[in-house]
Amino acid sequence: MRDDWLVRSFVRHRLPPEVGAAIAPELDELGARASGPLWDFQRADRLNEPRLTTFDAWGNRIDRIELTPLWHEAERLTAHYGLTAHPQERGHGDWSRVHQFLLVHLFHPVTDVYTCPLAMTDGAARTLLAAGNQALIDRAVPRLTSRDPARFWTSGQWMTEATGGSDVGLSQTRAELRDGVWRLHGKKWFTSAATSQMALTLARPEGNGKGGGGLALFYVETRDADGQLNGIRVERLKDKLGTRKVPTAELTLDDTVAHLVAGTTHGTRSIEPMLRVTRTWNSVCAASFLRHGLGLAEDYAAKRRAFGAALAAQPLHRATLDDLDAESAGAFLLAFLLVELLGREEGGDLDAAGAALLRLLTPVAKATTGKQAVAVASELIEAFGGAGYVEDTGIPVLLRDSQVLPIWEGTTNVLSLDLLLRADLDQGLTALRQRVLRAVTAAADGELRAAGLASVAAVDHALAWHRGTGDPAARQRGARHFTLTLGRALELALLVEHATALVGTSDEQPARQACLGFQRLGIDSLRD
């Protein structure tokens, strides 16, 4: 934690002093573990992958998935550090989410994407609490947020079917009410973390109409009281480009006992609290990969010599790393603004403008940081030269695993269209512009103030497009550019704000350099 100027300065200057002082020792401890034993463990464990055993020696179907050694260690550390407990415990009030996600930021890149089930677990707890189903809350939430490894549960999120990924309204899983018990029948095509003890899933109660309105949200425990799978068959594990340590499976549900979370219709509305949480995890994990990869590249550049000098002393290589520092710093500050707003919302401390900003930033931050993760990961691979292409260096996996971040929890296009269809879009845009203005107002330095004004101009350009483009096809074609412009403009404003706060401190120079470097790269640099 202390080796990264950005995280160090964020804890010192963004958090209330008493919160920063309270959590710093734990961050230091996990940071030391992540940069040492866990990093070594991950590389040593790289050839292990989940394994599915369909039948036992006597021909009985068992569908047992064996996880990797690092995943078992990650589960233990999750409980130890309370990675899903902090939002429920609220030990630091509204800042508890920031505490949680700073730990996640250190934990994520060295635990083979164990953050995948953790995101769904956190989201499931929030969804059950929001639904107010007390029986399910009492049954599941204490386990989903437990600090006891023997009691801790993770949750799956079974939404995707072959008929439709993002278009969940095409789901064909059927829910049958028989003798007072709901039973599910259907196939789930992409279920990450298939070894979880429970899952939330969508299904259509018999007699309901088509589309998302006819779906209901169900709670499923994956095993019955005897430890047998609950009407679930694991057909196969997915052979994926990345996230290969995550046991992602195709499942058949055949008479699977389930419980309604809320009503028998409009289940897609019930998953909104889950998506708000999981998209926040996605944003933080994107920034985490970037800062982790940059740290590795900086360390390599300091040790690798070429043309008579260390790579770090070569002007072009230094400039490349500085650009990556700027991109990753923008992603980090955007992700943690989203985290801060989420924590304040859960504490009941957001006004109407703040709530509208949170709803707008959830898709904007996820889309923006996801695209940055892939672009920067590719540059980081190149920064190692041929070594970046060799598996046992631990570098190639950064690119493979980053590639999922623009896909999970809604692709860039889906999120961009979702943004344009929001009923409170205008309120959110007004709140975003106010937040940008607030971020740049304090900048007295001429260069920083110019960077801040560039961010304001980009937001105003996006607002003009939004207000002046009425043709639905034109709005859809421009949706991605609109979304990413908002995200990158806000990132630049946050970099201005952070650099201004650090004037006169030991971290002033890197913060200023990141801000001006981001401005030079351009708010529009990710346009396709």
Side-chain angles (χ1 to χ4, degrees):
M1 190 273 286
R2 295 184 185 277
D3 292 335
D4 186 342
W5 73 266
L6 178 62
V7 179
R8 179 179 64 237
S9 63
F10 182 85
V11 172
R12 289 177 179 173
H13 299 281
R14 182 61 187 161
L15 276 59
E18 66 279 7
V19 175
I23 70 175
E26 188 176 39
L27 296 177
D28 285 339
E29 177 190 309
L30 181 54
R33 179 171 271 167
S35 62
L38 279 175
W39 168 238
D40 293 338
F41 194 166
Q42 180 170 261
R43 286 181 297 160
D45 199 40
R46 70 180 183 85
L47 295 179
N48 288 315
E49 293 188 5
R51 291 185 297 169
L52 171 64
T53 301
T54 306
F55 297 97
D56 68 12
W58 310 106
N60 301 305
R61 183 146 191 170
I62 56 173
D63 289 350
R64 183 178 67 243
I65 300 173
E66 300 174 35
L67 301 175
T68 63
L70 180 54
W71 260 50
H72 288 294
E73 175 64 6
E75 180 180 44
R76 186 189 70 79
L77 292 174
T78 292
H80 175 76
Y81 287 105
L83 295 185
T84 61
H86 287 293
Q88 186 72 4
E89 295 171 348
R90 292 188 60 80
H92 297 293
D94 291 354
W95 294 97
S96 298
R97 277 289 186 184
V98 175
H99 180 195
Q100 172 200 25
F101 278 111
L102 284 169
L103 292 169
V104 170
H105 176 78
L106 299 171
F107 175 89
H108 163 69
V110 291
T111 48
D112 283 338
V113 200
Y114 189 73
T115 46
C116 168
L118 297 187
M120 295 186 292
T121 298
D122 194 356
R126 182 53 44 192
T127 300
L128 295 175
L129 290 165
N133 187 323
Q134 198 58 49
L136 295 182
I137 291 171
D138 293 344
R139 170 70 177 167
V141 172
R143 293 172 170 83
L144 298 173
T145 60
S146 178
R147 287 178 177 264
D148 178 1
R151 192 166 186 249
F152 176 62
W153 280 6
T154 58
S155 176
Q157 182 177 309
W158 301 347
M159 307 298 168
T160 303
E161 299 185 13
T163 50
S166 299
D167 188 359
V168 294
L170 296 176
S171 296
Q172 295 182 343
T173 299
R174 177 173 55 89
E176 173 191 11
L177 183 61
R178 191 168 74 242
D179 299 326
V181 177
W182 286 100
R183 297 176 182 274
L184 307 185
H185 304 265
K187 291 187 176 182
K188 297 297 181 179
W189 187 78
F190 198 97
T191 61
S192 291
T195 55
S196 293
Q197 291 86 349
M198 61 155 284
L200 296 180
T201 187
L202 293 169
R204 195 177 310 278
E206 290 185 324
N208 278 14
K210 297 180 179 180
L215 295 172
L217 183 64
F218 286 90
Y219 165 97
V220 173
E221 292 187 12
T222 53
R223 294 186 180 272
D224 60 24
D226 297 324
Q228 301 301 308
L229 284 171
N230 172 23
I232 298 168
R233 293 198 307 274
V234 181
E235 304 298 357
R236 64 168 177 162
L237 294 180
K238 293 291 195 181
D239 187 8
K240 299 167 294 177
L241 168 69
T243 66
R244 297 188 65 88
K245 305 306 182 77
V246 180
T248 304
E250 291 180 24
L251 301 181
T252 296
L253 309 183
D254 185 9
D255 227 30
T256 303
V257 173
H259 303 271
L260 277 173
V261 173
T264 56
T265 59
H266 300 293
T268 51
R269 295 179 187 171
S270 300
I271 64 174
E272 278 292 321
M274 175 188 294
L275 292 175
R276 189 169 299 167
V277 170
T278 55
R279 287 172 177 171
T280 302
W281 276 79
N282 205 96
S283 300
V284 171
C285 289
S288 173
F289 265 149
L290 299 188
R291 296 307 292 181
H292 174 71
L294 177 64
L296 295 174
E298 291 278 12
D299 182 68
Y300 181 75
K303 297 173 181 176
R304 175 72 168 173
R305 294 184 64 83
F307 306 106
L311 280 179
Q314 304 281 0
L316 182 55
H317 194 81
R318 181 68 263 160
T320 301
L321 294 181
D322 288 345
D323 286 349
L324 302 183
D325 188 21
E327 283 287 339
S328 59
F332 177 93
L333 293 175
L334 179 60
F336 274 89
L337 173 59
L338 180 61
V339 169
E340 182 182 338
L341 290 170
L342 179 62
R344 289 171 56 198
E345 185 226 19
E346 292 174 347
D349 293 327
L350 272 188
D351 59 15
L357 182 60
L358 172 61
R359 288 190 290 272
L360 180 137
L361 282 191
T362 301
V364 167
K366 192 276 181 186
T368 306
T369 58
K371 297 301 285 184
Q372 286 174 300
V374 177
V376 174
S378 180
E379 288 285 357
L380 286 168
I381 294 277
E382 188 176 343
F384 285 86
Y389 212 67
V390 177
E391 290 290 351
D392 58 6
T393 64
I395 307 303
V397 71
L398 286 174
L399 180 58
R400 284 202 307 275
D401 286 353
S402 292
Q403 186 62 65
V404 80
L405 295 171
I407 300 172
W408 271 349
E409 309 307 320
T411 64
T412 309
N413 284 358
V414 166
L415 292 170
S416 300
L417 294 173
D418 173 67
L419 181 68
L420 287 183
L421 295 173
R422 288 186 173 270
D424 62 347
L425 176 58
D426 286 329
Q427 296 98 305
L429 291 171
T430 298
L432 184 144
R433 189 178 190 279
Q434 291 172 343
R435 183 64 181 88
V436 167
L437 287 172
R438 192 181 106 200
V440 305
T441 297
D445 175 274
E447 287 186 315
L448 293 181
R449 184 158 187 80
L453 292 176
S455 69
V456 175
V459 171
D460 285 343
H461 180 74
L463 292 180
W465 176 87
H466 164 60
R467 293 165 181 160
T469 307
D471 176 59
R475 287 179 66 78
Q476 185 170 136
R477 283 195 299 271
R480 174 190 285 231
H481 178 41
F482 174 68
T483 301
L484 296 177
T485 296
L486 292 176
R488 292 183 65 79
L490 181 54
E491 286 183 345
L492 177 56
L494 295 172
L495 284 164
V496 171
E497 181 179 63
H498 198 63
T500 300
L502 296 181
V503 170
T505 73
S506 60
D507 291 316
E508 175 182 358
Q509 183 54 34
R512 178 187 185 85
Q513 181 173 277
C515 176
L516 300 180
F518 193 94
Q519 181 191 14
R520 184 183 66 256
L521 288 168
I523 291 170
D524 210 18
S525 68
L526 287 182
R527 184 177 183 182
D528 292 336

